[in-house]
Amino acid sequence: MPQLQLPIFPRGVTHITQVLAFSNVDGRVTDCNGSMPVLVHDESDRASLQMITAQCCVKGNAKQMDLVRACGVSKISRKRAVKRYREAGPRGFYQPRKRRGPAVLTEAVLTEAQQLLDAGLAPAEVADRLGVKRDTRSRAVRAGRLHKREKKNSTELSSKRERSAADRRAPLGVGAAAVAGRLAASVGELDAVAPDFTAALDVPNGGLLCALPALLAVGLLEGVERYLARPKGYYGLDSLWLLLAVMALARLDSIEALRYWAPGEWGKLLGLDRVPEVRTLRAKIALLAADDAPQQWSAVLCEHWMAAAPEQAGVLYIDGHVRVYNGSQTQLQRHYVARQRLCLRATTDYWVNAMDGQPCFVVNPAVDPGLIQVIEQEIVPRLEQRLPQ
């Protein structure tokens, strides 16, 4: 006659049946039959948990629903564990899972794909030539089964992401990486830094550099050193003038708009570590616009253009543009603004151009007496001095 076992369990256990229970203390699970431990394993050891519960079901010590309710597992997982125990016993839970080998990228296909990549073919072209999906090829690259061919000089060219991270780590502010030059300029030992253009990848607005030869050809830097005050500091006159020209080509309506662009990326367009702050740029422009220097430089540039094409200087086109004044520093006379159909305080700019659009000069009278008087009093005297021959 079998002897009955008293239902005596340690404190804090979770009951499965009247004679089976388990406890979980600090990630260690103890399966016990009454007061006697049967198996101790880690909470993360799913194989041992499935093995002992499946054994209880097969031996008739517990029903599958008892384990589902007590352990919080699904019915289908209990059925699979019981089936595995009956077919392979306890060792079936600790054997490595059998995985299906590659059906497409076999060893022969991988070898041929790697040879094509090493030969310089594009990854997409390799996938099309071997007749496999491009996603399959991409997964093989991510898994390390295939290796892309490194681009030439890839270590010499910086990407936008790498430059942005380096700009944030700059010791003197965002993008200010030229420490020696900036310190020398701060103590008066450097008049201006020399531009140094370096090769880089994916520079925003990099196509604007294609216009640099044209800008230099029309005299962008012609005579600037002679007529404009040279602001002493880190940024030279040529760099500032080129920055203003590039901003105009990029359709930046104001200097303030430069604040919303990455200064380090714009510095790449000028051969610098970064462009100046908006406040610094305003101070430099105020120094350049002092006295009558811009008008003198504009006159020299006008003579340069006319001398380059004297046949076009015989017939000129004069056009007036009304520029609305929105400030409060002065009370200007009112002009009729056609685009708004209102009379507003404004000034009128009279542009003198060649017939093909080549600019000559602009006249901006403080008080607009009208087109005829401006031609007689302002434009004709200038033309008599500047027209070739």
Side-chain angles (χ1 to χ4, degrees):
M1 181 176 179
Q3 183 178 1
L4 296 177
Q5 182 177 354
L6 295 177
I8 301 176
F9 294 91
R11 180 177 299 178
V13 299
T14 300
H15 289 273
I16 301 176
T17 63
Q18 293 184 355
V19 296
L20 295 178
F22 70 91
S23 64
N24 189 341
V25 179
D26 297 333
R28 297 286 293 177
V29 179
T30 302
D31 302 303
C32 53
N33 183 4
S35 59
M36 181 180 64
V38 177
L39 182 65
V40 180
H41 58 86
D42 291 334
E43 183 180 4
S44 59
D45 189 357
R46 306 297 299 177
S48 298
L49 175 62
Q50 293 181 355
M51 187 276 296
I52 191 63
T53 53
Q55 186 182 59
C56 292
C57 292
V58 174
K59 299 296 183 181
N61 298 327
K63 297 180 180 179
Q64 294 190 24
M65 288 307 301
D66 296 334
L67 296 168
V68 170
R69 285 191 293 265
C71 302
V73 295
S74 61
K75 297 179 182 180
I76 187 65
S77 64
R78 288 294 89 231
K79 292 181 179 180
R80 291 173 180 170
V82 171
K83 180 180 179 181
R84 185 184 304 178
Y85 187 89
R86 288 173 175 168
E87 293 177 352
R91 64 180 179 181
F93 294 90
Y94 301 100
Q95 293 177 348
R97 296 182 60 181
K98 296 181 180 180
R99 299 182 180 273
R100 183 175 63 90
V104 178
L105 293 180
T106 59
E107 291 298 330
V109 176
L110 285 175
T111 302
E112 184 178 0
Q114 189 61 56
Q115 292 175 354
L116 295 176
L117 288 174
D118 295 339
L121 271 69
E125 187 177 356
V126 172
D128 296 340
R129 178 172 296 190
L130 296 178
V132 299
K133 295 182 178 179
R134 298 184 179 182
D135 291 343
T136 304
R137 189 267 315 160
S138 300
R139 288 194 296 269
V141 172
R142 290 194 296 269
R145 302 170 65 193
L146 286 176
H147 304 281
K148 292 183 179 179
R149 182 188 182 188
E150 294 185 359
K151 298 181 180 179
K152 294 183 179 179
N153 299 329
S154 60
T155 57
E156 301 177 5
L157 303 180
S158 61
S159 64
K160 183 179 178 181
R161 177 180 298 180
E162 295 171 349
R163 293 192 301 272
S164 298
D167 289 346
R168 290 192 297 269
R169 296 192 302 266
L172 299 181
V174 178
V179 179
R182 292 183 178 274
L183 291 179
S186 64
V187 297
E189 297 295 333
L190 180 66
D191 290 339
V193 66
D196 183 18
F197 293 91
T198 58
L201 297 175
D202 50 84
V203 178
N205 298 316
L208 297 178
L209 290 178
C210 296
L212 181 57
L215 293 175
L216 298 178
V218 298
L220 176 65
L221 303 179
E222 187 75 22
V224 292
E225 295 284 351
R226 184 167 66 253
Y227 291 96
L228 299 178
R230 182 176 181 179
K232 190 176 182 180
Y234 182 77
Y235 298 100
L237 185 57
D238 53 350
S239 298
L240 294 175
W241 220 239
L242 182 60
L243 172 60
L244 296 176
V246 173
M247 289 174 59
L249 293 176
R251 300 294 191 268
L252 297 188
D253 298 333
S254 63
I255 298 177
E256 188 70 21
L258 190 63
R259 191 186 303 272
Y260 305 102
W261 290 84
E265 297 303 300
W266 273 76
K268 290 295 181 182
L269 299 178
L270 307 179
L272 305 174
D273 54 348
R274 60 158 293 161
V275 293
E277 291 279 356
V278 172
R279 182 176 58 181
T280 303
L281 184 57
R282 289 186 185 277
K284 299 289 186 181
I285 292 177
L287 181 60
L288 293 174
D291 303 327
D292 196 33
Q295 287 75 13
Q296 296 178 12
W297 174 75
S298 176
V300 173
L301 194 58
C302 174
E303 295 176 1
H304 172 74
W305 289 338
M306 288 185 176
E311 67 281 357
Q312 299 181 6
V315 181
L316 300 177
Y317 177 78
I318 303 175
D319 188 17
H321 293 272
V322 177
R323 183 155 46 95
V324 178
Y325 176 72
N326 297 315
S328 58
Q329 298 296 324
T330 184
Q331 295 294 328
L332 298 176
Q333 62 179 349
R334 295 183 181 273
H335 294 73
Y336 177 73
V337 183
R339 62 179 178 271
Q340 298 184 18
R341 298 182 180 180
L342 294 172
C343 288
L344 303 173
R345 297 191 182 277
T347 59
T348 302
D349 297 331
Y350 293 97
W351 293 84
V352 181
N353 307 322
M355 293 300 293
D356 62 347
Q358 182 83 339
C360 294
F361 59 88
V362 60
V363 177
N364 178 247
V367 178
D368 183 18
L371 177 60
I372 301 299
Q373 296 188 30
V374 170
I375 293 177
E376 295 176 349
Q377 300 174 6
E378 299 284 347
I379 297 178
V380 171
R382 293 193 185 186
L383 291 177
E384 290 177 349
Q385 298 177 1
R386 301 174 185 176
L387 281 177
Q389 300 179 353

